[in-house]
Amino acid sequence: MSRIATVVLAGAAASVMLATPAVATPGGGVAAATPPAQAAQAAPAGERGISADPMCNRGTHKLTWTSKKTSWVVTHRSVLENYTGGTATKTRKAEKVKEVGASVKATVGAKVSGKVVLASLEGSVGLELQAEGKRTKKSSESVTFKVKKNGTYVFYAGTKKAGGYYTQWRCDGGTKWIKTGRYGKAQSWTVKTEGGVRCGAKPPKKSLAAAVKKKYC
């Protein structure tokens, strides 16, 4: 006489039926034999998550950012008043008024590679940023322009600056991100923008021309 035992395997779509031989007892009754050991054991909880569906790649690092900010910076400017009543094309030297540099500084713990930090900041703010150590031009900038109306004109060169504070994280065992104890700050700048604005004009609010008009007109 046999007894049918049902064993449900974790994660399986169907049950597996095992035949367990029966053993006769002296009194004429029937007792089930001790079932064999399971063929496979479930992986420990910690290992199942790592191999099947890892949260991150073990040993990798990432940076997160706080207090990110982008802003226009006027690096060179020149002012012209035109009341000739005609159209004129001029080339003027816009003198330096401010310098911007790209830098990375650790505030707590060891410094993270400047290249890594600025690449992360670049992706975070969506701007093409200059490498660590680069600076805007120190000498004057030549700006060529054409004036058609009477009024005061400001000719300029500038760029958009980006900066923020970073925290470094490390993937621990493929299951979670933990802080490494490295913190710092960084700033850089993007490509040069140059042009001119008449003080009576209405440039787009988010343009460098608008920043120039607000500050120098």
Side-chain angles (χ1 to χ4, degrees), residues 73 75 98-102 134-136 159 161 187-189:
V73 179
T75 57
K98 193 167 186 177
E99 194 173 343
V100 181
K134 295 285 187 180
R135 304 193 71 82
T136 54
T159 188
K161 181 175 69 172
Q187 75 163 33
S188 186
W189 50 281

Side-chain angles (χ1 to χ4, degrees), residues 74 154 197 199 201 203 205 207-217:
V74 181
V154 181
V197 61
C199 287
K205 291 182 179 180
S207 65
L208 177 54
V212 171
K213 179 184 175 184
K214 181 177 180 180
K215 189 170 185 178
Y216 295 112
C217 286

Side-chain angles (χ1 to χ4, degrees), residues 76-151:
H76 299 76
R77 72 176 174 101
S78 178
V79 179
L80 171 73
E81 288 187 338
N82 175 51
Y83 292 99
T84 63
T87 300
T89 300
K90 297 284 186 181
T91 298
R92 293 177 64 90
K93 286 186 176 181
E95 299 300 327
K96 186 191 81 171
V97 292
K98 193 167 186 177
E99 194 173 343
V100 181
S103 62
V104 176
K105 182 180 180 181
T107 55
V108 177
K111 181 184 175 183
V112 180
S113 163
K115 185 176 181 180
V116 171
V117 171
L118 292 178
S120 174
L121 179 60
E122 183 176 80
S124 185
V125 299
L127 294 173
E128 180 183 349
L129 299 177
Q130 303 297 317
E132 184 180 16
K134 295 285 187 180
R135 304 193 71 82
T136 54
K137 192 174 179 181
K138 295 181 180 180
S139 58
S140 60
E141 291 276 8
S142 293
V143 180
T144 301
F145 55 90
K146 181 180 288 187
V147 294
K148 295 182 178 181
K149 294 183 178 181
N150 290 343

